[in-house]
Structure formats: structure tokens, C-alpha cells
Amino acid sequence: MLESFLASTIAMATPILLAALGELVVEQSGVINIGIEGAMLSGAFAALVAVYFSGGMICGLVVAAAAALAVNALLAVLVINIAVNQVVAGTALNLLVAGITGVAYREVFGVTGRALTVRALAPLPLGPLTRIPLLGPALFDQSPLAYLALLLTAIVGYAIARTRAGLRLRACGEHPEAAAALGINVYRMRWTALLFAGVLSGLGGAYLTLVYTNTFVEGITGGRGFVALALVIIGRWRAWGIAAAALLFGAAMALQFTLQATVTNLPYQLFLALPYLLTLLVLALMSGQAAAPSALGRSYLRE
Amino acid sequence: MLVARGICKRFGRTVALDRVDFHAAPGEIHALIGENGAGKSTLVSILAGRLAPDAGTITGADGPLRITPGTAHGVAAVFQAPLLFEQMSWEENLALGGFRRSTRLRPEALAAAARAAHDLGFALPVPGRRVADLAVGERVRLAILRALSFAPRVLLLDEPTGALAPAEVEQFLDHLGRLRRDGRAVVLVTHRLGEALTVADRITVLRRGRKVAEVPAAATNERDLATLMVGELPPPLAASTYEGAPAVLLSLADLMLEKDGRRLLDGVTMEVRRGEIVGVAGVEGNGQDALIAILAGLAAPTAGRLLTRGALALIPQDRDLDGLILEMPLWENLLLLEPLRRRFAPRYWLRRRDAVEFCRALLARYAIRAGGPHDPAAALSGGNRQRLAVARALATQPEIVVAHDIARGLDLAATRELHRQLRQYAESGRAVLLLSSDLEEIFQLCSRSYLMSRGRLRPLGPADRQAGRFGLMLSGAQG
């Protein structure tokens, strides 16, 4: 019971953690990517299509990353080069991707009324580590993407705080004009950040179709992109803080499943809402913008 | 090597630069002087590549430069409002400079920075401190260090000495001499004519966006330069004429402020009476910011008493804090101040026409160079923004005006004009408290003055007025 709860927590936390790490990098460069929900959705859809037609998992992940990369590249053109309002552009992109994936799904697979399933991305047990009681099966018998998320938490956290590239990234989010005056190419930095985030949200999306459900339904992301946005705030713009917040959200999701199965005299919608209520609550409690990059959401155009 | 030809730049209807030629030659210090709004800062921004000119060309050592030459072309600049990353530590700000190229942020860069600071005679701030918590002088020092870290072939300095202590200025100017001997080009924007004459080889004078003279420093003098800059100097200030009752309007009794275990203010006691201008001299970082914070109601004193009679208006030092919203038109900016808002929007509706007219009158009265009340505040030069902030503060008719380093970066004529306004205001039976690191300003304007040092106030007598003695006191006072 506890074992499966832990395993489920990590499984639930993985896709949003991947997306949130990408969002962290983007926000450190001064861009707020509301379109993250759309990027995840495109990744989820592309992964399913690729695996369905090719059967290869690697192919599915690469195509998912590429699809979300394309979505973010479109966003980059809009918000970085043309300086469209970032919230407006991101929201528009979300609607666009939701529409396209819905239509494309029906176009490609027809309306059969029957859920379309693909092979799942198999977990990758880490040998003897899985034999640790309780923790072993929960932590070390996960999808490769879960390990990747953890690894990236460490790498992104270190890179942002301790490397020159991270410093230059933060400089763009803190004061783009000053960064430019010091010879930093703000455009390139923000583009790079958005493309990196594209890959991560694509993988996060792929996780939803290839690990969770093995199928695709319209709007499968179910607001997880927005949860990722919230995680960045809850985690105070720090990689490990975000990982902790993702685990909290994952735990709420896992708990929700358990409660749905065990408590039958309450409407199940109540439990469905639990993780989102929790996010809202923590977000409200962790108010204050102190840790946010100063130029977050502000367009930068060279004079 | 940097040559600019026929540079033109307009902001809205304001012509900032009109066909200006300028060059920075290796092994030469080229001073750029002019009144406020003459176009000095605009020219520096264009030379540094932050701003694209409307017309004209800039040629570097490797041929014509496109927009944004920046550090890649060996040009580094210290702008009047230093471009610093407020939420980062000062070390990170330096690491974004050119000290050391490595992927990791390691102490080598800091060691290099410490050496450079030592060469300049600068003290480095407390390790790990955020720039947002640094005093203005510390920021300027940081920006200078960072610019020098690029080992630039052309160094552009926009009013770098305004926030430095006298001893620091001397050492800094010495260092500029060394850069010249290394064959670097230095462009120094300054409002101190004496500074330009001592340190520069060549002086260019701008007036209202036009270049009016370019002369070798050896072939000119202070009086000629002043004449070139403004045409003629306004008369010096006469003695105060207020003859009413000298009631106390502001009284501080044994004010203490402690923060993080540090004593920022230590028993500050003074009174400011009607008709007086009281000065507080001192090097930045000796408690001025703490005093201002208490007067502004942003900090509560740890101990002691603060009494004010009547409204108090504050004119802060940092122009970013002037409370101007750059995107808003000037007349709307006036309404940002509560008393003026009450006057022009007493109920639900804005008295737009009255406010615009009021703004127009204010612009004329304070000789603020702007296209009109509908211009955005962004179209004003730094000095004119400062004047607008002063004009706005005085327009609310406060009993007490607290002005902090208002003349920083202002030229002689603008400073005199500002001083005249303050003097007139005091003579009308109000009180002015002036905090400044410029001793001349304090002595010229104030009826009584104090020296602020390590959070303490010490009254200054006539014997302290000898420049040499005072300079020593100030240097000793620097902690």
C-alpha cells in the first residue's frame, strides 16, 4: 500500500517536474511561458502517433520533443522577436495546440469510440537497488524519464546557480538591457531557454501517453502545464524547491487515486480536485514575488 | 578608437543630438561637458551601442560599427544610472564582467576584482551582499570595476565621480591617467569643470544637442568652458531674507537605528527651523540612507524621537525612486503625488485641462526642457527628470523639504537654478534639509551644517570650512 503510494507519487511527479524544470530555465531568462500546457499536449500527441506508426520508444520520445520544440519555437518568434505580450501569445498557443491535436487525432485515428492504445514505455529497474525494502520498488523501478527528471533537477540547479552560462541566463531575466550592454545576446539566450524547455515539456507530455495511459484523449494534459507553472513559483525559482513541490503534487495525485478507490460515499470529483486545490493553497500561502526574476514577462527589444 | 560623425537623435519632439561629431583617440582622455539635457548621456549611450542614432555613423578600430558595438568591440561604459543586476550579489555582477572566462563561478574572478579595486583605491562591499542593498557610491564603484574588467580599448564614463569620496576621486583620476599611458581611449562625462581641466587632454562642449567647441584642455580655462556651456553664469546666491519667527519644523532627538546588528544611526540630534536650509555633509554610506528611510516613514527608529510640524516632502537621491513613471505623460506624473491628485481629481473625475495647464506652468517656471505636458517622462534627460521631481515636490507646498544629493550629475547652471529654488522656498518660511556629498553645495547653500560620519552627526563650524581640512575629515570619516 505505502509502497505503491510512493511509486505512484513519483510517477505522477515526473511529467510536471520535467515541464517545470524547463519553465524554470525559461523564467530565469525573463520569459514566462504560458504556452507550456500546449507544448506538453503536443508532445503527448506526437509521442502517441510516433509510437503507433513506428513502434519505437526512442522514436516516440524524439518526435515528442521535436513537436514541443516546434511549438516553443513559434512562441519564441512571437514573444522574443516580435515582442508580443507573453501571456497573450502563450494562451493563444495553448488554444491552438488543443485544437490541432483534437482535430488531428480524429483525422488520423478516426472516431471509433474505442480508446486507441500503444505499447507502454517500460520501467527501468536499477538492479539490486530495487531490493531495498519499501523504497526499492518505489524509487528504483521507475520509468527512465523519472531518473532523467531527477538528474536534470541536479544539473539545472547547479548550472543556474554555479556556472557562467547560468549567470548569464539570470542576467537576461534580471535586467536584459544591462545584460545586452555587457555583450550578452539576450535574444539567443531566451531562444535557447525556450527550445530547451520545449524538449522537456515534450518529454513530459510523452510521459502522459507512453507511461500513464498508453493512449491519447483530447486535453490529456489536464492542466498539468499550469501546475508546472505554479511549481516554479512554489519552488521559489530553485530546481530542488521545484522538485519538492512536484513530489507534493504527485503525492496529492497518488492519494487521490487511493481515496477514490477506498472512500466511496463521497463524490469522486472531490478527490479529482484535490491536487489542484492543494496547488492553489500552497501557492496562496507562498505569496511574495521576491524570488522571481525582475524582468519576468517583460519583452526586450534592442533600440 | 571610436569616431562618430554627424550623430542625430530625437526623442519625440525633443532633439537630443544634432549632427554631433566626436572621437575617442588612443592614449587620450576626452572630457565631454555640457549642461543638463545637452545630450551628453545620449551621446555616451550611442557610442556604447545601447542606442541607435537616427543618423550618423560610428567607426571603430575595425571599421564602421553596426548598432550595439558593446564590449565585443572593446568599448565598455559606466552609465549614469549604473546598469547593475539588483537581485544578484555584487560578486555575481562582477563575474558578468570580463574578469575571467571560465564556466564555473570561482574565486579567481574575485581575486582579480580585489586587485583591480585596490589599484583604484576602492573598498569592496561586504561579501555576498545584494546590489539592491548597496549605497549609490558602492554601486558606482562596482560599475567602474566591472567596466574596467573588460580591459576596454575605449572606456566611456558618464559622471562617474559624483558619488565618490574626494580621496577616491583623486585615486580614480590617477588611474585614468594610467589607462591613458596604456594607450586606451577614455571618454569622461563630467559636470566638474576643474576635473575636466586637470585630467583631460581634450574637451568637447555640448549645448542643447549641438557641439559648440572642441578644445585642447591646455588651451582653455574654467571661465571659458562655463561660458561655452551656458552662455553666462547665473548670479551667486545672496543671504537668506526670511525674517519671521524661527519655529522648529523638524526635530530629531537622539535617533538610533540598528539593523542586522549594525548601528546605522547613532544618536542623531538636530533641529530644522523655518527659513533655514540645514545641510548634512558626508560620504555616502555613513547613515544617510537610514536617515532618509526614517524621514520617509519607511523605517522606524530603534530609539529616539522624530517630530515634524506640517507636511514633509522628500526628493530622493536615486532617480529610479523619483516616482516618475516613464511611460506616462508629464502631467499625469504630477498627479502621482497625493496632494496634487487631491487638487486635480477631487472627486471621481480628473480635471485634465487644469492639470495640463498646471504642468505647463511648472515646466516653464522650472525651465524643464520638454516638448510639453503630453510628452512621456521618458523623453526627458536625467537632469530634467530630477528637476521635474523637485518641481513636483515643491508644488505640493510642504513645510519641510528633504533633498538628498539632488545636484548629482547636474551641471553648474542647473545646480544653481535648483539651489535658487530651494533657497526661495526656505525664504518663504519653510524648511529645507539637504543631504549632500558635495561640500561646496553644502557651504554655499546652507545656513547651518553637520557632518555625518558612521551614523553620527557633528555640527560644522566656520573653522571647518577650509577645503583641505575638510577633505581629510571626510576621508577619515569613511568607514
Side-chain angles (χ1 to χ4, degrees):
Chain A
M1 174 78 173
L2 187 59
E3 195 180 284
S4 74
F5 172 72
L6 278 179
S8 185
T9 295
I10 290 174
M12 295 294 148
T14 299
I16 46 171
L17 177 56
L18 282 171
L21 286 174
E23 179 65 22
L24 170 66
V25 171
V26 168
E27 293 198 7
Q28 292 287 6
S29 84
V31 177
I32 185 151
N33 177 15
I34 304 284
I36 186 169
E37 177 84 7
M40 281 183 90
L41 190 55
S42 70
F45 178 70
L48 181 95
V49 174
V51 173
Y52 183 77
F53 286 110
S54 79
M57 280 299 153
I58 302 287
C59 173
L61 294 179
V62 169
V63 172
L69 193 78
V71 170
N72 274 20
L74 179 57
L75 186 72
V77 172
L78 292 175
V79 301
I80 299 173
N81 300 83
I82 319 180
V84 177
N85 180 299
Q86 298 180 1
V87 175
V88 172
T91 307
L93 218 56
N94 283 336
L95 296 173
L96 180 74
V97 175
I100 287 179
T101 51
V103 170
Y105 181 74
R106 266 170 273 177
E107 196 59 39
V108 177
F109 301 106
V111 191
T112 59
R114 190 167 55 90
L116 178 81
T117 53
V118 292
R119 196 159 57 84
L121 176 60
L124 178 69
L126 293 183
L129 286 176
T130 51
R131 285 198 292 275
I132 302 172
L134 191 65
L135 290 180
L139 302 184
F140 302 110
D141 191 14
Q142 288 284 348
S143 157
L145 288 176
Y147 308 133
L148 178 70
L150 187 68
L151 190 67
L152 279 173
T153 304
I155 293 175
V156 167
Y158 181 83
I160 285 177
R162 303 267 164 210
T163 67
R164 174 167 289 276
L167 183 63
R168 291 158 73 88
L169 179 79
R170 280 185 283 141
C172 295
E174 184 64 35
H175 195 333
E177 291 80 17
L182 292 174
I184 297 172
N185 188 334
V186 179
Y187 292 82
R188 197 163 64 198
M189 202 58 110
R190 289 186 167 182
W191 258 94
T192 312
L194 262 177
L195 294 184
F196 174 74
V199 171
L200 289 198
S201 34
L203 293 180
Y207 190 93
L208 297 179
T209 39
L210 299 185
V211 181
Y212 267 10
T213 57
N214 310 339
T215 185
F216 181 86
V217 288
E218 277 181 52
I220 188 175
T221 41
R224 282 189 179 79
F226 296 115
V227 171
L229 271 173
L231 291 188
V232 176
I233 300 170
I234 295 170
R236 315 287 291 166
W237 287 266
R238 284 169 208 273
W240 287 110
I242 290 168
L247 283 178
L248 183 70
F249 182 83
M253 282 287 231
L255 185 66
Q256 177 242 125
F257 289 136
T258 319
L259 289 178
Q260 267 192 61
T262 51
V263 185
T264 49
N265 53 354
L266 282 174
Y268 72 95
Q269 287 92 343
L270 206 62
F271 303 119
L272 276 180
L274 179 70
Y276 301 95
L277 283 175
L278 187 75
T279 312
L280 200 63
L281 187 71
V282 177
L283 203 54
L285 291 177
M286 308 266 307
S287 57
Q289 285 277 303
S294 307
L296 183 59
R298 226 178 59 207
S299 298
Y300 166 75
L301 277 183
R302 248 189 317 243
E303 280 264 8
Chain B
M1 183 66 176
L2 211 55
V3 180
R5 283 216 181 79
I7 300 292
C8 296
K9 183 76 189 175
R10 304 165 135 263
F11 296 107
R13 273 173 294 174
T14 317
V15 177
L17 291 175
D18 185 9
R19 284 162 288 161
V20 171
D21 297 334
F22 189 80
H23 72 270
E28 191 176 87
I29 298 179
H30 195 155
L32 182 60
I33 64 174
E35 273 198 294
N36 279 109
K40 300 172 308 239
S41 294
T42 308
L43 184 56
V44 167
S45 287
I46 288 174
L47 292 175
R50 264 183 84 193
L51 210 60
D54 296 335
T57 57
I58 300 173
T59 314
D62 321 315
L65 299 183
R66 296 188 313 121
I67 172 190
T68 59
T71 52
H73 294 267
V75 180
V78 174
F79 297 101
Q80 205 172 9
L83 287 173
L84 296 170
F85 303 96
E86 296 283 319
Q87 299 305 322
M88 295 187 184
S89 68
W90 62 267
E91 292 97 329
E92 286 179 320
N93 269 272
L94 284 180
L96 281 162
F99 276 113
R100 188 64 62 109
R101 298 267 154 213
S102 72
T103 44
R104 296 176 77 215
L105 296 179
R106 283 294 95 185
E108 300 96 75
L110 274 191
R115 270 196 305 280
H118 181 80
D119 282 354
L120 287 166
F122 289 171
L124 289 172
V126 184
R129 183 159 284 209
R130 274 189 326 156
V131 170
D133 300 328
L134 296 183
V136 171
E138 289 177 302
R139 286 157 185 244
V140 173
R141 292 195 286 263
L142 196 60
I144 292 172
L145 268 179
R146 196 178 62 184
L148 284 172
S149 73
F150 289 103
R153 275 177 292 174
V154 181
L155 179 65
L156 309 171
L157 300 161
D158 193 355
E159 299 279 3
T161 55
L164 299 181
E168 284 179 323
V169 171
E170 203 170 301
Q171 212 162 347
F172 175 65
L173 295 180
D174 269 1
H175 190 81
L176 291 188
R178 250 176 291 156
L179 291 175
R180 163 172 55 192
R181 279 196 295 283
D182 287 353
R184 303 189 193 284
V186 177
V187 176
L188 178 70
V189 176
T190 179
H191 67 283
R192 294 180 180 169
L193 300 180
E195 204 172 278
L197 283 168
T198 10
V199 74
D201 305 295
R202 184 173 293 280
I203 298 175
T204 288
V205 186
L206 290 183
R207 183 159 75 205
R208 293 181 178 235
R210 295 202 178 176
K211 178 167 161 177
V212 290
E214 179 183 328
V215 287
T220 184
N221 58 50
E222 210 158 322
R223 184 184 300 266
D224 289 352
L225 286 178
T227 313
L228 283 170
M229 266 168 54
V230 291
E232 62 188 68
L233 285 176
L237 297 166
S240 173
T241 57
Y242 177 73
E243 284 172 344
V248 175
L249 291 183
L250 172 70
S251 133
L252 312 177
D254 224 8
L255 225 50
M256 300 275 205
L257 183 68
E258 284 179 10
K259 196 176 155 196
D260 306 330
R262 290 202 318 146
R263 186 163 284 188
L264 300 177
L265 288 183
D266 190 2
V268 168
T269 302
M270 74 165 139
E271 282 180 345
V272 185
R273 297 163 188 278
R274 267 191 208 288
E276 266 191 327
I277 300 185
V278 173
V280 174
V283 177
E284 278 308 313
N286 273 295
Q288 289 91 338
D289 291 340
L291 183 57
I292 292 286
I294 289 179
L295 289 173
L298 298 175
T302 316
R305 210 159 35 83
L306 163 73
L307 282 179
T308 55
R309 254 177 66 185
L312 182 148
L314 187 70
I315 307 167
Q317 171 190 45
D318 193 337
R319 291 201 182 128
D320 289 346
L321 302 179
D322 275 354
L324 297 182
I325 296 180
L326 297 184
E327 293 78 11
M328 277 192 181
L330 298 175
W331 71 270
E332 279 186 3
N333 265 294
L334 292 181
L335 301 193
L336 293 179
L337 229 53
E338 167 65 19
L340 292 178
R341 194 160 60 235
R342 224 178 299 131
R343 179 161 156 198
F344 291 107
R347 290 273 164 123
Y348 305 107
W349 315 114
L350 222 54
R351 291 196 191 151
R352 189 185 153 100
R353 199 174 311 147
D354 293 352
V356 170
E357 268 328 300
F358 178 74
C359 180
R360 201 185 303 282
L362 219 56
L363 293 182
R365 191 166 146 216
Y366 289 88
I368 297 166
R369 221 162 279 159
H374 295 287
D375 269 16
L380 297 189
S381 73
N384 279 313
R385 280 180 206 170
Q386 180 79 337
R387 267 191 247 187
L388 181 68
V390 172
R392 186 175 64 175
L394 297 188
T396 65
Q397 309 270 319
E399 290 285 27
I400 312 148
V401 177
V402 178
H404 189 193
D405 243 357
I406 44 169
R408 183 161 95 100
L410 295 195
D411 57 67
L412 215 58
T415 306
R416 287 264 173 104
E417 181 55 30
L418 216 57
H419 286 174
R420 205 179 56 77
Q421 305 277 9
L422 284 182
R423 174 68 75 97
Q424 224 175 36
Y425 200 73
E427 282 170 356
S428 72
R430 272 66 163 246
V432 176
L433 177 63
L434 178 73
L435 286 81
S436 172
S437 49
D438 184 346
L439 307 176
E440 258 184 61
E441 177 175 37
I442 296 275
F443 283 144
Q444 195 183 18
L445 194 60
C446 300
S447 27
R448 282 187 302 123
S449 43
Y450 296 88
L451 175 73
M452 186 155 219
S453 159
R454 293 181 183 169
R456 289 180 200 208
L457 274 192
R458 151 190 186 315
L460 290 174
D464 294 318
R465 296 207 167 202
Q466 294 154 324
R469 178 183 151 87
F470 206 94
L472 284 177
M473 274 167 51
L474 273 183
S475 320
Q478 222 221 341

